[in-house]
Structures are given as C-alpha cells and as structure tokens.
Amino acid sequence: NCRVAVEFFSVGVPVVALPTGALPEVVEHGVSGLVAPSHGPEQLAATLATLLDDPERRASLSLGALVAAGDRFSRGRFLSDTLAAYDAALRG
C-alpha cells in the first residue's frame, strides 16, 4: 500500500517492496527503500536480506525516507501540486 509506505517514510523507516501497483513510483529504489527486482517471496526475502546485512545502507535509506516524506509527500507539496494542476486546467 503506497499510503503505508509514505507513513513509514515520515518516521524514517525505509520500505522494502515488491514491484506492484504504484509502489515502484513511491519507493525510490536505493533512495527511500528497495524494490525487489520481481514478484515472489524469494525475491522479497533476498531484497530484505541485503538491507538487514548492511547498517550503513539502512542509515542512508532512512535519511532518504525522511527526505522523501518532507519533500515529495508533504502537505505543502500536495497543495502546491494540486493548485498548479488547477491553474493549468483553467489556462487550458
């Protein structure tokens, strides 16, 4: 669920996800989390294991998750993007 991913980002928790729905658009692989290369429990487990075995990468992804929450998914960003869309629609 993309909403849950954004909630995790807001507390600095990177997300490990399968490449389904909009998750690959929300979770920036290597920035705010990791996206498994394909579907299936084995791929998800292998992707999660790479994160568990690397504390420096976890710290980097945690920071990336916080930045994503504050930049890409903040209320201010949502408001400005929505207003820009309305403005563009009004201008034709």
Side-chain angles (χ1 to χ4, degrees):
N1 181 313
C2 295
R3 182 176 175 185
V4 172
V6 173
E7 289 174 3
F8 276 114
F9 292 167
S10 71
V11 292
V13 176
V15 173
V16 176
L18 289 171
T20 59
L23 279 169
E25 296 170 34
V26 172
V27 179
E28 291 180 273
H29 184 79
V31 177
S32 59
L34 299 175
V35 179
S38 63
H39 297 85
E42 297 85 12
Q43 292 293 329
L44 184 62
T47 303
L48 182 58
T50 65
L51 187 57
L52 293 174
D53 293 339
D54 191 343
E56 289 180 16
R57 190 168 194 196
R58 282 197 314 271
S60 173
L61 293 175
S62 292
L63 179 59
L66 283 171
V67 169
D71 181 35
R72 295 177 60 212
F73 302 109
S74 70
R75 288 182 181 166
R77 175 73 180 264
F78 177 76
L79 177 62
S80 66
D81 287 353
T82 301
L83 291 174
Y86 285 143
D87 187 50
L90 289 172
R91 293 175 190 249

